[in-house]
Amino acid sequence: MVIILVTVTISSGKNDGIPANAATPSNLITLRPDGSVVMAQRGVNSPVLEVYEDYQCPYCQEFEQTNGETIKQWATQGMIKVIYYPMTIFQKEKWPVTHDNSHRALKASLCVTDPRKWLAYHDELYDHQPEETAEGGFALKDLVTYAKKVGIDEADFATCLNSRESSDRADAVSALARTRGVEGTPTVRLNGEDIDWSTPWAGAQQRI
């Protein structure tokens, strides 16, 4: 896999006339049938930033802490279209405990059916990420607690979380990501090309 080292910046000139407070990130969310999540102002189709992430992956948490708020700002200002691809990167055969933790978190993310609540829940998962090898990390009761905290109906959420359907769907979205050449998380792509995610993007000066 080739990683392109870039400084990610958006040209402000192409977005003149869009006020910074035109929307909030949560109001820009669209949940798609394949498990991916779009965050973008209406009519913004490029540039496209794809984020393949695993809620149990410490590097994904690092990326979120480093650049998550910057990405939200860009989307809110109509500067970029973001597509999140939550997945489980850990193979059950090699990392059974870590896989199970990741799988539970992914199921929980997929059980959020209100687009306006998805981003808040996404952030809760990273805020409460357990150690990779912690037995029982992302416990079901904790995942339900996080849902309640962001205003999601507990009963419906718990039913979804405990369903076989949600487990199968989590497996399917992870398998789909792997067909796209994702071998590790986070994988971050700008207009289809892998880019360096590890450096802070806020305040960068080079155009995309």
Side-chain angles (χ1 to χ4, degrees), residues 28-50:
L28 304 180
I29 296 294
T30 300
L31 306 178
R32 303 201 298 191
D34 67 354
S36 62
V37 178
V38 175
M39 179 171 63
Q41 287 272 14
R42 182 178 301 177
V44 175
N45 296 309
S46 65
V48 177
L49 186 75
E50 298 172 283

Side-chain angles (χ1 to χ4, degrees), residues 173-194:
V173 299
S174 297
L176 181 60
R178 291 189 184 92
T179 67
R180 294 171 175 153
V182 177
E183 300 175 354
T185 53
T187 290
V188 183
R189 291 173 176 164
L190 179 63
N191 293 331
E193 304 234 27
D194 290 352

Side-chain angles (χ1 to χ4, degrees), residues 54-69:
D54 185 322
Y55 297 115
Q56 180 60 89
C57 164
Y59 295 114
C60 296
Q61 183 189 57
E62 179 184 338
F63 172 69
E64 181 62 28
Q65 292 171 344
T66 302
N67 290 314
E69 289 304 313

Side-chain angles (χ1 to χ4, degrees), residues 61 64-65 120 122-129 146 149:
Q61 183 189 57
E64 181 62 28
Q65 292 171 344
H122 167 275
D123 293 349
E124 283 292 310
L125 291 174
Y126 279 122
D127 286 346
H128 295 91
Q129 185 186 88
Y146 308 153
K149 181 178 178 181

